[in-house]
Every structure is written in C-alpha cells, then in structure tokens.
C-alpha cells in the first residue's frame, strides 16, 4: 500500500474543492487488483465544534489523534479562547467521532478533508494544531497548502515512521472482539466492554478507548471505523514522502516521558520545517495536553505571541 500515492486535484470554485485519485487496492487490500485501477475519492464532511472568540485573527484548529475525537480538546479550547481571544475549532477526523466513515484512511485523504472543511467555513487561514495522527495530518496539509496556515503546532509526533505498531493492532483486535448484547443500559455495556478489554489493554488506554463506545439503535458499538483503521494502520504509522518544505513558524511540542519526538527525528523535522522549534514539556507523556494542560496552553500561547504574523 505504501507504494501508491494519492493524486490531488483542486477546484476552489465549488465546495467539492478536492478530489483524490486513489488505487482500488487501498479499498480492497485482500483482492488481486492491477495497479492501473484507480477511482476518484471525494473528501468527507467533518463534524466540528466552535468556541467563539472576539479576535479577527486566524482561528486555532485542533486535530486529534488515533481513536480520539473533538471533545479531547474542549476544556483546552475554552481556555485558549480566553487567553488568545481567537476562535477555536475542534474537528473529528474521518472514521472518528461524529464524522463520516470512509474505507480510505491515508494522510492525503485526511488532509483533503481539512481543505474541504476550511473551504466550507470560508476560512482563508488558520493556526493548525495536531496531536499524534492529527499532527501528521496537519504536517501533510501545510506541505500541500502552506498559504492556508499561519503557523503549525505538532504535539508529540514527528514526520517519521512510528516503529512499533503491534500495540495498535492489539487494540483493534481487542475492540473487534468485544461482545455486548442488545437492550442493556450504558453503564452495563461500558462495564462489560471494560471487563473484556482489561486483560490486553492497560487502564489509561482502556478508558480512552471506551469513549468511543456509543449506543446506535439499541446496540452499543464502536463509533470509530475499526475496519478502515485496521486496513490502513501501516499508512497511519508512516509518513508520506515530501520534497517540499513549510517555511512558516512551527512548534514541535513533545512530552519528556514520550519517545515520539527524539533527536533522531530532528534532521527530517528541520528539512521539512526549517523554522521549527522543538520543545518538551516536563512530566508529560504522549498525551501532553492531558498530562500537563496548563503547561501545554502556556507553550501554545507563547509560540503565538513570539511569532506575530
């Protein structure tokens, strides 16, 4: 799958705005299909929340990580509105939260979704802030449409391959295996899911994954598209090849207890983002914004204040 690349076509005169020409092999990975079979894939509409602010400066747009959703940033969004005056928007990625599902889960596709989103809301520029998978989506977006991003913040992620994907494969397998009968209360369904997941998933991750358990037509199901994520896990863990660079102000904000941004990543960060700063927040793991929310807010506000545009 990594051998294929999406070809992006733009048409800013209509809301469709972007089309992806993609290989059918991405949708049917278990079928023998010739590489010449391609089809057009339109971006999907994204669910979002708006936290309004008085400033006319470009808004902050938050992109969550794998298995996350827009509510991950709700409390931070409210505080950032108060401290910056800017409008803040939080988005559900495709196949996550309340956004549409699609069999395609590549960074090119997710980037095209953001382009459609900005076009629909008539936003000419924004400050893009992405955590983990959302950070990679943000990087791909600015490398394709740099004129639409005032500045970029990548939270505990770098433009490199995530080495160990076995943990994510285990999460998906465990979630697929959860069996919950119809017609039971939410508290009971959550307890049953937790009991079935606990043997293979550590408590912190387990509680995070359980936020995706929702009631649909008297049946508790996962609102994330596990099949699409599973089929594209290698794409999500990797990063597309780019020969261009984003020259705008960029902050890579990692957790000191996390290994997602290491010195081994610095050369590639500087190649793609020459104006990048790299910081690590003490006593924070991969979920920097959850582990040290005030320090996270301070770092983002200082970054915006130090780089007026």
């Amino acid at each position: 799958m990594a051998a294929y690349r999406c070809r992006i076509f733009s048409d800013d005169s209509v809301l469709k705005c972007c089309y992806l020409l993609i290989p059918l092999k991405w949708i049917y990975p278990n079928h023998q299909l010739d590489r010449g079979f391609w089809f057009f894939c339109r971006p999907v509409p994204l669910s979002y929340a708006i936290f309004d602010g008085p400033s006319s400066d470009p808004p902050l747009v938050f992109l969550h990580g794998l298995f996350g959703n827009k509510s991950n940033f709700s409390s931070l969004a409210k505080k950032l509105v108060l401290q910056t005056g800017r409008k803040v928007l939080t988005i559900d990625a495709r196949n996550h939260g309340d956004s549409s599902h699609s069999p395609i889960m590549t960074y090119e596709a997710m980037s095209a979704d953001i382009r459609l989103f900005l076009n629909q809301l008539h936003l000419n520029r924004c400050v893009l802030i992405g955590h983990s998978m959302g950070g990679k989506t943000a990087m791909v977006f600015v490398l394709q449409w740099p004129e639409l991003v005032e500045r970029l913040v990548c939270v505990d992620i770098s433009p490199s391959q995530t080495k160990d994907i076995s943990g994510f494969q285990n999460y998906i397998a465990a979630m697929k295996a959860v069996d919950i009968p119809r017609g039971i209360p939410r508290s009971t369904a959550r307890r049953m899911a937790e009991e079935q997941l606990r043997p293979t998933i550590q408590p912190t991750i387990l509680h995070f994954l359980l936020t995706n358990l929702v009631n649909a037509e008297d049946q508790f199901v996962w609102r994330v598209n596990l099949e699409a994520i599973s089929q594209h896990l290698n794409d999500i863990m990797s990063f597309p090849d780019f020969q261009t660079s984003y020259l705008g102000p960029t902050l890579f904000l990692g957790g000191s207890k996390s290994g997602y941004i290491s010195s081994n990543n610095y050369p590639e960060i500087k190649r793609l983002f020459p104006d990048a700063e790299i910081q690590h927040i003490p006593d924070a793991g991969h979920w920097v914004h959850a582990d040290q929310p005030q320090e996270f807010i301070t770092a983002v506000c200082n970054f915006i204040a130090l780089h007026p545009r």
Side-chain angles (χ1 to χ4, degrees), residues 72-200:
N72 296 157
F73 301 108
S74 294
S75 60
L76 292 174
K78 296 172 185 177
K79 293 177 181 178
L80 282 166
V81 169
L82 292 175
Q83 294 201 29
T84 67
R86 299 193 189 210
K87 180 186 297 183
V88 179
L89 299 98
T90 61
I91 301 175
D92 283 334
R94 64 167 53 201
N95 296 319
H96 289 71
D98 298 316
S99 285
S100 303
H101 282 195
S102 167
I104 304 301
M105 192 72 186
T106 64
Y107 286 115
E108 291 91 341
M110 288 187 278
S111 174
D113 294 342
I114 302 303
R115 180 67 185 92
L116 174 63
F117 170 80
L118 295 179
N119 194 66
Q120 288 175 322
L121 270 66
H122 307 290
L123 296 175
N124 297 321
R125 297 188 85 201
C126 70
V127 176
L128 210 49
I129 305 174
H131 171 246
S132 198
M133 179 188 78
K136 286 188 174 181
T137 301
M139 285 184 261
V140 170
F141 183 85
V142 301
L143 291 168
Q144 292 174 328
W145 293 287
E147 71 280 3
L148 299 179
V149 181
E150 179 192 274
R151 68 196 73 226
L152 170 67
V153 181
C154 299
V155 184
D156 209 54
I157 200 68
S158 66
S160 61
Q161 174 78 32
T162 301
K163 294 181 180 178
D164 183 15
I165 69 171
S166 60
F168 296 99
Q169 292 170 331
N170 292 337
Y171 301 158
I172 294 170
M175 292 169 75
K176 283 183 175 181
V178 168
D179 184 19
I180 300 175
R182 288 182 175 273
I184 62 174
R186 176 173 179 79
S187 58
T188 304
R190 182 182 174 90
R191 186 177 69 253
M192 292 183 66
E194 185 173 354
E195 290 172 352
Q196 294 175 55
L197 294 173
R198 190 183 298 125
T200 56

Side-chain angles (χ1 to χ4, degrees), residues 130-132 153-158 251-263 265-266 277-293 295-296 299:
H131 171 246
S132 198
V153 181
C154 299
V155 184
D156 209 54
I157 200 68
S158 66
L251 174 63
F252 282 82
L253 188 60
S256 65
K257 295 181 177 180
S258 171
Y260 277 81
I261 302 176
S262 72
S263 57
N265 307 134
Y266 292 178
E277 301 176 29
I278 303 172
Q279 301 177 19
H280 286 83
I281 292 182
D283 299 318
H286 182 54
W287 284 275
V288 181
H289 50 287
D291 293 341
Q292 299 293 341
E295 288 77 5
F296 174 83

Side-chain angles (χ1 to χ4, degrees), residues 32-53:
Q32 296 298 317
L33 294 173
D34 185 86
R35 292 191 180 203
F37 287 95
W38 297 71
F39 83 110
F40 281 102
C41 175
R42 291 175 59 179
V44 303
L46 302 178
S47 175
Y48 62 94
I50 297 180
F51 302 83
D52 215 354

Side-chain angles (χ1 to χ4, degrees), residues 200-231:
T200 56
I201 301 177
Q202 60 180 317
T204 304
I205 304 295
L206 172 56
H207 293 144
F208 174 68
L209 295 178
L210 285 173
T211 63
N212 290 293
L213 190 66
V214 296
N215 193 340
E217 299 179 356
D218 205 33
Q219 173 73 62
F220 281 90
V221 297
W222 299 110
R223 62 179 172 178
V224 288
N225 186 344
L226 292 174
E227 188 59 35
I229 293 172
S230 176
Q231 295 292 352

